[in-house]
Amino acid sequence: MSQGLSGYWSRPIRRRRLIAAGASSAAAAALLAACGGSNNNTAKVATKAAATAPATAPSAATAASSGTTAAASPTQAASPTAGAALPPPTGQKGGILRAQIPNVFDSTDVHRALGDPTLWTSNYLYNKLVMYANPDEGTLEPDLSEKFEAPDAATYIFSLRKNVKWQPPVSRPFTSADVRWHIERQANGKLLDGSDGGFTRQVFYKTITNIETPDDFTVKLTLAAPNGTFLDRLAAYFSTLPNKETTEKFEATHRTLTEEAMVGTGPFICVQLRAGQEVKFKRNPDYFKPNEPLLDGWVAPLIFEDPVAYRAAYLQKQVEGWGSPDPSQTKAVIDQNKGAMTEVLTGVGNTVALIINRNTQFKDVRLVKAMNQAVDRQKLIQTFHQGLGQNSGIVTWLQEGFAIPPEELGKLPGYRSDRNQELKEARDLWTAGGGPALGDVDITVPVTWLANWPDTPQIIAKMFNDNLGVSQFKSSQSDYNKDIIPNLGNGKFPHWFGWISQVNSPDPRSDLRNSFHTKGSTNYNKVGLLPGDPNLDDQIDKATTLVDLKQAVVAVRAIQDVIMANAMFGNITLYNYISRTAYWNYYHPLLKAQAAAGNPAAGFNIFAGHLLARYNWIDTRDPSYQGRPPASL
Amino acid sequence: MAMARSEAAAALPEVIPASARDRPAGRRALVRTARFMRKRKLGAFGVVLVIVVLVAAILSPLLQRYDDNRQFLARNPNYQAAPSGGGSVLAQLQAGKTANDVSEFVTERFQSPNGTHWLGTDAFGRDIYARIIVGARLAALIGIFASLIAVTTGTVCGVVSGYFGGLIDLFFQRVVDGVQAFPALVLLLLIVQVFKTPPLWLTIAALGFLGWATSVRVVRSAVLSIRQQPFIEAARSCGATDIRLMLAHVLPNVVAVILILFSIGIGAYILAEAALSFLGLGPQGVTTWGKMVEAGRNGLDLHPWESLFSGAAITVAVLGFNLAGDALRDELDPRLRGR
């Protein structure tokens, strides 16, 4: 569901092409995320230990790579299935990566950016206080901090590294004052001229009631209430720290793209960020993490709006990776180039959902339940992704540790394999709830989705008409920026089918709070506020404070039971699909698990771009490197 | 009855042989058709194609076999439900299973032509033949109505402009200049983008609007020569009003031009709509040939059927209307009639 802090609900997708790379966003996500070396069995064993010990030591590997001392660096696993550490980087240094990123930026100010492209990109240029060592499992490691401690769930002490320098032209040391500014600016929500700045994560930072900076390299944060997900939020991709001087200099012109406006402490320095041009990064020679990044630079070409052109560019090695909206085509290309390409499968964090506006037509919960049962999840996965996907409950299967297990999910209304029974119940509910009297029901489909699957409106309208035995459903196209996002707050948003939030953490508690708490920042369907709704506030509040992950899982499960019993209050999660991406063998992307015995490799399901600098490399000795056009910054 | 036929035959121009004049009307039509087909073989071929398209359009509910949006789903014989705790679908795929192994039902996508699906199926498992038949209806609808709008409005404006001349003519021609100054496709894109989600009627209206300018020009030219004719002067001197002159004397003499404009226009509008749909800017929520070409384009090398057959359908329709229009022009234009 919607994630509060990054807020897909309020995320503008500026142009059709943003996710026009759409299924390619899958590819992009796979490309940007990734890295590896774990297997599920070991993860699950380790999980249990992690669940009861939220402040455990990092692995030797992560300690070595981050320059920390293991004994002094607590980490916290956000997932009860967490545990395995990533291997140290071993790649060849040098080379310039050519891979596209969803480069439709809405701002250069990460505090105010609504769109993910800016936030994702900041992970290559900036750092965070803490970061995910393994995003899918939620294990943390220090980033800008050298170590961090959590004496209790409301107090967090960060010891900052002393060797961190801002990139040129700022070129001064990074200190605790930078952290204070980063938090206070967002919590206060004011710009230099005193006006409201539209800070998207203000609610989160306002929970920090006290900031102490006893010296240049120590920060102590005190929260208003215990929060078991606090570190998890700080590690998410939207928590990067920008430079104060630069941000303030470009505060009034943050929507104008320029490389000068994005100065950080990270592994890459932005050398070109201009509208309509390739994005270019070069290695930061003064980066504080030794031996990072492996790459000399990165050129991100403009997004290919034409999938055929994208494929051609890939085959000519003008980009290192590619994925088609039609997975069979990607598979065919890989099979035709056996031995030269690697297949990578990645769960796509953009959940596919059906959002029903309960403020307008669907006030009767029976109608929402009817929709939940009438929608055919498996057929949609077949239709759009050729079977590469899996049903998701309100907590997606990407968040495996907290999600309802598949066998139990399969017994819930809307998820059962007995479609006849589902449809019979759906029709009864539709009739009982007064569905036929609703008149025309328009399920809109955002244009960004249509860029990949243009016939979706026909398929959606037919599915509901056939399954509910009516002819009142129609489907038209909508626009996230014009039709959906501006109307979320006023409750006049259209019903829509398409992508919703980017799953940003294995721990779903923050997302659940934002969408289903009466004070949630993205509770646009007024859950708990409409007549007949159960109130989930106490349950959510309690779950959020829990530090023990085992207890948190139990609490989240109880919350899910209520939400699922009410057809997710209109925020009907459908599924998360799986992207298939092809990479030339000379390129070693960030992978969670390497390809073995002819099986595909695994990318990270949750954004892992911050690890790219550590793990991505280009092997000039690989035979497939022959014929690659030279790359330059 | 015989007497009446004889009188009618006597009224026919001398160019029709006496033997022909004595034939019944139905037979005469057959003879004319046969002569037309013999003289204008390409035109006849075009007419046949047009008839095929129109029959498909009119009888599409009977001919299409399946709903054009029906997705064919089949139980997967290879499916084995994962054991409890067997891991996510992703984990199974990464362990070497295929998408088919993990799906209880599979769509019958990308099938080659076969007995069940005569022209194969598309990426969503829909019958391509059914979609082409439904697309024919839309293509005919768009072509005919857009052409009708263009020709009707163009005729009215062209007759008025050409007949009155002077300031009225100046006004109409400058408006036409303005419309024609824009590249047609750019103007179409502009109109469609302004309305964002173009319904069918808007697409038809936009296409008709673009064709209007050409129709005005052509009809005006014809009117300019007609209005100089002595019979117009004669009628005017007998007291005929402008309206009567235009409706009773000018218009009937430009009917041939109008018919030619109409018939040739249909093909052009079908093509224009296909181009719009190919660009994703055509009518929404309906099956169109242009959309089908675009949908199949991405995987043309692996699954060519959708683009191939829908492209062929466009070719057949446009070729048919163009050939038929050409033949009609040859037949109705006295200067070309004998050729």
Side-chain angles (χ1 to χ4, degrees):
Chain A
M1 241 335 331
S2 85
Q3 78 203 353
L5 298 176
S6 79
Y8 94 88
W9 291 98
S10 53
R11 176 195 319 157
I13 298 182
R14 289 283 163 198
R15 289 175 226 163
R16 176 174 302 197
R17 66 177 188 170
L18 166 55
I19 300 187
S24 10
S25 88
L31 186 64
L32 301 179
C35 167
S38 68
N39 69 55
N40 287 335
N41 295 333
T42 53
K44 278 184 182 163
V45 173
T47 298
K48 312 229 157 121
T52 51
T56 57
S59 69
T62 51
S65 61
S66 60
T68 62
T69 52
S73 305
T75 63
Q76 179 180 29
S79 165
T81 57
L86 301 178
T90 55
Q92 175 185 337
K93 290 198 85 166
I96 293 171
L97 170 67
R98 278 188 302 218
Q100 67 173 17
I101 54 178
N103 51 2
V104 187
F105 306 103
D106 66 317
S107 172
T108 55
D109 184 346
V110 292
H111 289 168
R112 291 190 284 165
L114 293 168
D116 277 339
T118 300
L119 299 168
W120 283 335
T121 300
S122 73
N123 280 261
Y124 316 124
L125 308 172
Y126 302 172
N127 293 91
K128 292 163 278 196
L129 283 174
V130 293
M131 62 183 243
Y132 285 124
N134 182 329
D136 283 5
E137 296 171 352
T139 46
L140 301 178
E141 71 174 52
D143 193 7
L144 284 168
S145 55
E146 191 171 51
K147 62 176 184 177
F148 52 91
E149 300 167 52
D152 58 67
T155 311
Y156 296 86
I157 303 167
F158 299 90
S159 300
L160 305 182
R161 295 175 194 263
K162 298 179 176 64
N163 61 337
V164 180
K165 249 175 63 178
W166 290 103
Q167 295 165 358
V170 179
S171 302
R172 65 166 174 79
F174 168 81
T175 66
S176 56
D178 292 307
V179 180
R180 175 184 283 277
W181 168 80
H182 169 72
I183 294 169
E184 287 181 342
R185 181 174 187 246
Q186 296 187 82
N188 296 337
K190 298 288 182 191
L191 301 176
L192 290 175
D193 62 7
S195 62
D196 288 334
F199 288 86
T200 49
R201 283 160 288 280
Q202 186 180 17
V203 173
F204 171 69
Y205 285 100
K206 279 177 95 167
T207 64
I208 302 171
T209 52
N210 191 36
I211 308 169
E212 294 173 49
T213 51
D215 58 53
D216 276 354
F217 299 103
T218 305
V219 178
K220 182 180 177 187
L221 305 178
T222 307
L223 310 187
N227 184 347
T229 66
F230 184 71
L231 288 175
D232 184 49
R233 299 291 82 191
L234 292 185
Y237 65 87
F238 42 76
S239 295
T240 50
L241 273 85
N243 173 255
K244 177 177 186 285
E245 296 91 313
T246 310
T247 305
E248 290 182 347
K249 179 180 175 185
F250 292 95
E251 192 172 81
T253 58
H254 71 113
R255 298 212 183 275
T256 304
L257 299 188
T258 168
E259 57 279 357
E260 294 170 24
M262 292 196 79
V263 172
T265 53
F268 292 104
I269 296 172
C270 188
V271 292
Q272 181 166 293
L273 183 68
R274 301 277 167 167
Q277 294 183 31
E278 293 174 324
V279 179
K280 294 180 179 177
F281 308 141
K282 69 173 183 183
R283 174 210 299 270
N284 178 1
D286 299 322
Y287 190 47
F288 59 86
K289 293 183 184 177
N291 302 318
E292 293 187 35
L294 292 170
L295 296 163
D296 283 340
W298 181 356
V299 177
L302 293 176
I303 283 182
F304 294 93
E305 295 189 45
D306 181 352
V308 179
Y310 189 14
R311 177 182 165 191
Y314 171 68
L315 290 173
Q316 292 165 19
K317 302 178 184 174
Q318 292 174 7
V319 288
E320 336 294 6
W322 160 79
S324 169
D326 168 6
S328 68
Q329 190 180 85
T330 314
K331 183 71 175 164
V333 167
I334 293 167
D335 289 345
Q336 285 161 9
N337 294 274
K338 266 199 162 63
M341 292 183 187
T342 303
E343 176 187 0
V344 179
L345 295 177
T346 309
V348 175
N350 285 101
T351 303
V352 179
L354 173 70
I355 304 298
I356 300 297
N357 185 346
R358 297 198 310 153
N359 305 300
T360 53
Q361 284 179 305
F362 285 78
K363 289 180 177 165
D364 191 314
V365 70
R366 288 171 296 185
L367 298 176
V368 181
K369 287 180 177 177
M371 296 295 285
N372 181 43
Q373 292 186 246
V375 68
D376 190 337
R377 291 170 168 83
Q378 283 300 307
K379 190 172 179 179
L380 291 173
I381 292 172
Q382 272 294 320
T383 298
F384 299 120
H385 317 289
Q386 302 182 3
L388 296 177
Q390 183 173 332
N391 292 348
S392 285
I394 194 63
V395 175
T396 72
W397 60 264
L398 302 177
Q399 298 155 306
E400 187 184 355
F402 285 89
I404 298 171
E407 53 272 25
E408 288 182 47
L409 190 65
K411 294 173 187 165
L412 299 179
Y415 295 85
R416 293 172 292 192
S417 58
D418 184 353
R419 288 299 299 166
N420 291 333
Q421 180 65 21
E422 291 275 23
L423 297 188
K424 182 182 177 305
E425 290 177 16
R427 290 180 184 201
D428 290 345
L429 285 164
W430 187 254
T431 307
L438 291 182
D440 281 351
V441 179
D442 186 9
I443 307 293
T444 70
V445 183
V447 289
T448 44
W449 177 278
L450 295 177
N452 289 293
W453 298 284
D455 275 351
T456 305
Q458 285 172 275
I459 288 166
I460 293 296
K462 180 173 170 55
M463 181 175 69
F464 284 110
N465 282 327
D466 287 355
N467 291 354
L468 290 173
V470 297
S471 58
Q472 64 195 110
F473 283 87
K474 58 178 188 166
S475 182
S476 59
Q477 71 178 38
S478 57
D479 188 301
Y480 278 117
N481 286 334
K482 292 176 186 163
D483 305 316
I484 296 175
I485 291 170
N487 292 313
L488 289 172
N490 62 28
K492 293 178 182 170
F493 55 92
H495 315 301
W496 91 86
F497 165 88
W499 288 295
I500 55 162
S501 62
Q502 173 80 16
V503 175
N504 57 65
S505 163
D507 187 334
R509 285 178 286 173
S510 294
D511 291 347
L512 290 174
R513 180 182 175 79
N514 287 323
S515 293
F516 298 102
H517 193 286
T518 55
K519 293 177 182 169
S521 57
T522 56
N523 183 4
Y524 299 118
N525 254 328
K526 296 190 170 55
V527 178
L529 297 168
L530 295 180
D533 274 2
N535 191 302
L536 288 162
D537 289 3
D538 288 344
Q539 277 181 278
I540 292 174
D541 286 339
K542 189 179 170 193
T544 306
T545 62
L546 293 172
V547 176
D548 184 313
L549 285 179
K550 272 186 174 173
Q551 292 176 12
V553 168
V554 173
V556 166
R557 180 60 198 268
I559 294 167
Q560 285 184 82
D561 289 344
V562 178
I563 293 172
M564 297 301 286
N566 286 278
M568 295 169 262
F569 298 98
N571 305 326
I572 301 173
T573 304
L574 301 178
Y575 61 86
N576 288 80
Y577 61 94
I578 296 161
S579 80
R580 173 181 280 145
T581 313
Y583 294 103
W584 287 105
N585 280 349
Y586 66 78
Y587 172 54
H588 293 255
L590 188 64
L591 292 175
K592 187 165 68 175
Q594 300 290 335
N599 295 338
F604 276 110
N605 303 329
I606 294 173
F607 182 81
H610 59 284
L611 294 172
L612 182 143
R614 184 181 298 170
Y615 291 102
N616 277 30
W617 61 287
I618 290 172
D619 185 356
T620 54
R621 294 156 302 186
D622 189 277
S624 66
Y625 189 77
Q626 294 297 317
R628 180 185 186 250
S632 61
L633 290 173
Chain B
M1 190 65 191
M3 184 65 181
R5 193 184 306 145
S6 170
E7 284 169 5
L12 289 171
E14 282 304 316
V15 290
I16 299 177
S19 57
R21 277 186 283 165
D22 288 335
R23 289 175 193 141
R27 187 167 163 73
R28 275 207 309 276
L30 273 178
V31 170
R32 278 185 175 179
T33 304
R35 193 179 59 191
F36 171 81
M37 293 178 74
R38 204 168 49 244
K39 272 176 65 183
R40 317 252 179 232
K41 289 188 176 62
L42 271 179
F45 178 60
V47 170
V48 170
L49 295 183
V50 167
I51 290 170
V52 168
V53 172
L54 292 180
V55 166
I58 294 165
L59 301 180
S60 64
L62 299 174
L63 296 174
Q64 69 189 71
R65 301 182 76 216
Y66 310 113
D67 185 303
D68 58 318
N69 280 314
R70 176 179 166 185
Q71 292 176 261
F72 286 83
L73 215 65
R75 189 171 285 279
N76 178 10
N78 300 323
Y79 174 70
Q80 287 182 326
S84 180
S88 65
V89 169
L90 178 58
Q92 293 175 56
L93 293 171
Q94 284 165 346
K97 287 196 170 183
T98 68
N100 271 354
D101 296 331
V102 298
S103 306
E104 188 174 359
F105 294 91
V106 290
T107 48
E108 298 176 357
R109 57 180 166 267
F110 295 135
Q111 290 201 355
S112 300
N114 58 54
T116 309
H117 304 292
W118 293 346
L119 302 182
T121 57
D122 69 2
F124 297 155
R126 298 176 298 188
D127 188 82
I128 293 174
Y129 166 77
R131 294 177 65 73
I132 283 181
I133 294 294
V134 171
R137 185 169 47 190
L138 199 83
L141 198 70
I142 288 175
I144 290 170
F145 279 93
S147 197
L148 203 61
I149 289 171
V151 169
T152 308
T153 54
T155 300
V156 171
C157 298
V159 168
V160 169
S161 177
Y163 178 83
F164 287 109
L167 281 178
I168 293 176
D169 188 35
L170 190 70
F171 169 76
F172 275 115
Q173 294 318 305
R174 296 300 76 76
V175 173
V176 168
D177 285 344
V179 173
Q180 289 192 323
F182 279 91
L185 191 59
V186 174
L187 198 60
L188 267 178
L189 294 179
L190 188 70
I191 293 169
V192 169
Q193 287 288 13
V194 166
F195 286 87
K196 201 178 74 168
T197 311
L200 183 58
W201 68 264
L202 180 66
T203 306
I204 293 174
L207 290 168
F209 171 71
L210 283 175
W212 166 82
T214 307
S215 300
V216 172
R217 281 269 202 261
V218 174
V219 172
R220 172 183 172 268
S221 301
V223 171
L224 283 178
S225 64
I226 299 287
R227 76 168 185 179
Q228 307 296 338
Q229 298 292 320
F231 69 88
I232 298 289
E233 283 302 310
R236 182 174 286 125
S237 64
C238 290
T241 61
D242 289 334
I243 296 287
R244 182 174 178 78
L245 281 172
M246 284 190 284
L247 292 179
H249 299 283
V250 175
L251 197 58
N253 283 286
V254 294
V255 162
V257 172
I258 294 169
L259 283 176
I260 293 162
L261 274 175
F262 175 72
S263 59
I264 290 184
I266 293 173
Y269 296 121
I270 289 174
L271 203 57
E273 181 278 322
L276 273 184
S277 291
F278 182 82
L279 295 171
L281 301 168
Q284 302 294 312
V286 288
T287 301
T288 71
W289 290 341
K291 275 203 281 191
M292 291 179 70
V293 174
E294 159 62 9
R297 186 178 64 101
N298 190 24
L300 202 57
D301 51 345
L302 299 170
H303 321 290
W305 306 118
E306 187 176 15
S307 286
L308 195 68
F309 287 126
S310 52
I314 294 170
T315 306
V316 165
V318 175
L319 186 70
F321 281 107
N322 282 354
L323 290 178
D326 278 349
L328 193 64
R329 181 194 61 200
D330 296 349
E331 200 61 24
L332 296 177
D333 188 335
R335 289 165 299 180
L336 299 171
R337 193 174 290 150
R339 294 182 190 175

